[in-house]
Amino acid sequence: MSDDSKLIRMASQMAQFFASQPDRPAAEAVAAHINDSWTPRMRQAFVDQIRAGVQADPVVRDAAGFVRLPAG
Amino acid sequence: MKDFIIPDRDMGTPAVKSDVAVNLLVDGISVSVPAGTSVMRAAAVAGISVPRLCATDHLEAFGSCRLCVVQIDGMRGLPASCTTPVAEGMVVRTQTDEVAQVRKGVMELYISDHPLDCLTCAANGDCELQDMAGAVGLREVRYEPGANHFARRDAEGPNPEYRPKDQSNPYFTFDPAKCIVCSRCVRACEEVQGTFALTIEGRGFDSRVSAGMESDSFLSSDCVSCGACVQVCPTATLIENSVIQIGTPEHIVKTTCAYCGVGCSFDAHMRGEEVVRMVPSKDGKANHGHSCVKGRFAWGYATHRERQTQPMVRERITNPWRVVTWDEALDFAATRLRQAQADFGRDSIGVITSSRCTNEETYLVQKLARAVFGNNNTDTCARVCHSPTGYGLKTTFGTSAGTHDFDSVDDTDLALVIGANPTDAHPVFGSRMRKRLREGAGLIALDPREIDLLKTPHMGESLHLPLRPGTNVAVLTALAHVIVSERLYDEAFIRSRCDWDEFLAYAEFLLDPRHAPEAVETLARVPAELIRKAARAYAAAPRASIYYGLGVTEHSQGSTTVMAIANLAMMTGNIGKPGTGVNPLRGQNNVQGSCDMGSFPHEYPGYRHVSDPETRAIYERAWGVELSPEPGLRIPNMFDEALAGRFRGLYCQGEDIVQSDPDTRHVTAALAAMDIVIVQDLFLNETSNYAHVFLPGSSFLEKDGTFTNAERRINMVRRAMTPKNGYEDWQVTQLLANRMGAAWSYTHPREIMAEIAMTTPSFAGVSYDLLEREGSVQWPCNGQAPLGTPVMHIDGFVRGKGRFVHTEYIATEERTGARFPLLLTTGRILSQYNVGAQTRRTGNSVWHPEDILEIHPSDAENRGVRDGDLVRLASRAGETTLRAHITERVAPGVVYTTFHHPTTQANVVTTDNSDWATNCPEFKVTAVQVSPSNGPSEWQEEYRHHSDLARRILPTAAE
């Protein structure tokens, strides 16, 4: 029972917060928070889902572009 | 100076703070004391003990026993030295013929109504009445036997004045026959504890100490069993049952309580390796000689018969346990952990560090993950309690900890208490706050429930904002809206300490009408006018402080709430001076320490990110291994990964995640999916039902180390007895690490602390030598602050400028609806601690034998629920049953319970919603339904069945 859909939900929560902040683009802030706190596998799974076209908040979709992926 | 042999000597009356020194002569000895000091204390400073019975330095002078009279040149008669303040040039004589005669007469009267059974009395050898009789030279009692309070009967029949012992309290006995009515107990209950449970009934010869009404016993009264009365009683009237059973102690071990985040210092009074009693240390900087029912009395779990002291293993969690040698257990554990890594990769195993174990033990467990497992899969119980505090305060101020020490409350003019219930969860701090409230400080409580602090006797003004669970951010932002719109902010502070433009941007955000109290009123169900009043009061107080608890953090917007709190303090300039600040009340004894020690998967000790190459280099050099730069798994991530088949092994030290973490079904399913679960604990806890290896742990009485309390204070824990399991917990971790190829060779926790200091800038100055010398220090402790830092951010924020983060209210996804119309919020109760593994195995259960659901009368009536009925509590996650208590403490639409008992498993009901920044679970908001019930839920039946099976232990005797 994989539960990677939770990752989108968690990213959406971050997006809601960072969208209300004035200082920097929300997508970058979401990605920075994800890079700081998620394992490489979680980050990869998240980006894979976005690439596969899963439904998500635009900020979450944009964030995927800034998420650091494991080498290789 | 005559006598400084006994360090904790009672000085008779409390110390007085004054800048003015007064010089006087006591018995020819010249002494200088602060103005306002009593003559009795001045004499004590000169090394002279004036005889006394009603006076003690725990309490304000009372002047009732008349034993402490002295002669003072130029003053008429014989003044009581306890109530007479010193004056410049005063000449005091503590022993003259006249004084001696008066004292002897007073003593003779006392003893005429006191039994002379000293040899068999429980206070024999530790009785102030006995000492005073000796001190004044009492040699005879000339009064004829007559009316008295101590003889059961006389020649005529039963003595009408005699009252039997009150043994209703599980920990102490009240024997009225031995009472001298000095009122110390009554005053301690008022002044120290602030409960006002005791009183003196009657007058003159009829005066008696009474717990409430005449029909009340100590147990049925308001008494909270803090033991302050027992501590100050000069006779055997109020005395610990353990002293009655064992006798007087022969040596003292100074240590630190292992319950809540207050971190009280205690003197363990020992006879051999047996604890006789725990007495809170007067020189303890967190508690100043006070304690609660848990710390003082509830230590019996350490020797409870259910304590497991031998290692055990099993192939599968459905098998019974097999008792094995340490070697076999450690080999089994190490082999399976390495096998999991071989089969599923380096990242497939992890650890959970304990917030109840010492800093040194926690440090080793996270080191095990990073240096031996080779990943950063380490997390701790703070994930589920104060992780948002770490994130929020680091973002706004630059440090993941509270700003002030507890002493600061003595200077506050107003305390804003948010989502915290100090009198239950942090009782000793609660008492200190109550003392300040009685002195006139204001109180604002933001809480869905009417907390006991609001019912403090003799307090000043208080406001209660009974907000709907989940609306913290809306209400706090509305408070800020009022402060900005009414220009109540501290512009000078903001300009010098924060970024003015950033503040202006936040102010613009706040001024939007959606943040006005009138807009928030419907959402939070708090009248707009009340919000305005609270905002004005907080902003107007010269020194306003904020204290908060898990009612802030355990929400989907927990981190945002912490930042909203920081914003309030910054915009009103309530930072950096005594009596102000942002003070999280941390839950467990060492949860602050476990965070400091690098328990989080993204941070090394001292809150440095794992991706930081400089920090990593420090540890790579110190540990001699290459370290991963990638964040590891948080506890909830571990569970998700386990269910996906990728996370296979867990070493869990001193936590009971099955009971303490949300959505129990999810947790147990995750554990059941792993190949190797290692539980290290005192007892076969709920998590051990899903474990393959059980490593017996040691209690706080059996180890050396340090705990760090909520005010960043590093306190010493000292070994008072040999570990029943054979090893201190850090030794067990070292054995496991070495089985897995490490070559650790620590011989004492002081060596671990030395490594922590060497590698962590905020701990650079900490050493056992320093702690022995100073008693305790508050980090940061380093070159800039060699003796530690009681108050932080005095001249500037650690991060530079304080940062205003915008605080948009975003409703939780957990919504009420037709199926689940009520909101459940959870909390704690005084007598039980966390999952109850310790307190349930003590006499404390007499106060709280089961979890109770609090429900408002109207909600109860709608559902046909009567007080005491068994009810079914159901949410989208699961259901359980428990008893209902009907009360107006909770608002309509809100129900409340605790999670201390595994038979209830309140967390079967809580969901996997969590804080956006830290994944701290949303324990405080669950949509539920309540209905009458006939018996345990299906889950409870199933769980009990599994629990019974899982706890079987194969007999060890050869057959």
Side-chain angles (χ1 to χ4, degrees), chain A residues 1 6 9-10 13-14 16-18 20-23 33 35-43 68, chain B residues 391 602 609 630-632 634 637 640-641 643 646 803 805-806 808 810 813 912-914 916-917 919:
Chain A
M1 185 183 99
K6 253 192 199 169
R9 186 170 144 212
M10 280 152 58
Q13 275 184 285
M14 294 176 203
Q16 281 183 306
F17 172 80
F18 286 112
S20 71
Q21 299 303 308
D23 46 354
H33 194 73
N35 288 335
D36 271 357
S37 42
W38 286 7
T39 64
R41 202 214 63 81
M42 289 164 70
R43 300 201 301 265
R68 202 161 39 81
Chain B
Y391 179 84
H602 66 298
H609 201 273
E630 292 289 359
R634 297 169 171 176
N637 308 145
D640 293 342
E641 293 281 299
L643 287 168
R646 290 184 293 261
R803 181 166 169 214
V805 173
H806 291 205
E808 190 70 64
I810 295 157
E813 289 169 25
D912 72 347
N913 288 339
S914 68
W916 68 265
N919 287 136

Side-chain angles (χ1 to χ4, degrees), chain B residues 64-349:
Chain B
S64 82
C65 76
R66 305 301 300 166
L67 203 62
C68 73
V69 292
V70 291
Q71 210 152 38
I72 299 175
D73 286 9
M75 284 179 80
R76 291 203 322 195
L78 299 177
S81 63
C82 65
T83 51
T84 307
V86 294
E88 186 62 35
M90 197 178 242
V91 177
V92 180
R93 280 170 243 278
T94 69
Q95 178 80 352
T96 65
D97 289 350
E98 198 185 349
V99 163
Q101 201 178 353
V102 168
R103 286 191 190 141
K104 219 179 262 189
V106 169
M107 241 3 249
E108 199 174 346
L109 274 166
Y110 271 116
I111 299 303
S112 71
D113 192 6
H114 194 84
L116 298 178
D117 60 349
C118 292
L119 282 182
T120 52
C121 175
N124 188 17
D126 186 24
C127 173
E128 292 182 50
L129 189 67
Q130 201 177 46
D131 295 346
M132 289 307 115
V136 306
L138 183 71
R139 297 293 173 254
E140 58 173 346
V141 176
R142 292 164 298 174
Y143 298 101
E144 293 290 321
N148 68 71
H149 295 92
F150 63 85
R152 258 175 232 262
R153 51 189 304 122
D154 56 20
E156 319 277 293
N159 176 3
E161 303 299 337
Y162 175 82
R163 301 284 182 279
K165 288 177 186 171
D166 177 345
Q167 294 173 310
S168 60
N169 184 292
Y171 298 118
F172 62 82
T173 296
F174 173 58
D175 182 359
K178 303 231 156 125
C179 181
I180 59 170
V181 203
C182 64
S183 297
R184 279 196 197 181
C185 54
V186 176
R187 291 182 285 143
C189 194
E190 294 176 7
E191 291 176 30
V192 179
Q193 168 56 28
T195 293
F196 291 73
L198 301 181
T199 187
I200 302 283
E201 61 171 43
R203 309 185 65 170
F205 185 74
D206 292 330
S207 305
R208 291 172 205 277
V209 170
S210 163
M213 312 288 285
E214 204 176 319
S215 56
D216 271 322
S217 66
F218 267 76
L219 191 64
S220 70
S221 74
D222 289 341
C223 167
V224 292
S225 195
C226 71
C229 56
V230 177
Q231 190 172 349
V232 295
C233 180
T235 67
T237 310
L238 282 159
I239 194 160
E240 295 93 342
N241 291 342
S242 53
V243 174
I244 297 175
Q245 281 152 19
I246 302 168
T248 46
E250 46 80 28
H251 74 277
I252 290 174
V253 180
K254 275 196 170 297
T255 190
T256 303
C257 180
Y259 282 117
C260 78
V262 176
C264 294
S265 299
F266 271 91
D267 298 344
H269 287 215
M270 309 291 299
R271 178 158 282 281
E273 289 204 286
E274 188 171 24
V275 180
V276 176
R277 64 180 167 198
M278 295 289 279
V279 179
S281 315
K282 228 157 38 179
D283 57 358
K285 288 174 187 158
N287 57 319
H288 300 288
H290 191 39
S291 72
C292 77
V293 60
K294 295 191 282 279
R296 188 191 299 262
F297 294 124
W299 35 267
Y301 68 85
T303 52
H304 193 273
R305 59 186 158 75
E306 283 170 13
R307 174 100 184 258
Q308 293 295 334
T309 57
Q310 290 177 297
M312 298 187 290
V313 300
R314 58 182 167 195
E315 285 296 319
R316 300 156 183 277
I317 60 170
T318 44
N319 292 354
W321 286 108
R322 196 157 54 78
V323 174
V324 295
T325 61
W326 277 99
D327 277 341
E328 190 177 343
L330 291 162
D331 282 338
F332 185 99
T335 309
R336 280 219 180 178
L337 287 170
R338 283 301 188 207
Q339 191 60 49
Q341 284 189 303
D343 295 344
F344 297 93
R346 196 176 60 177
D347 297 335
S348 63
I349 60 173

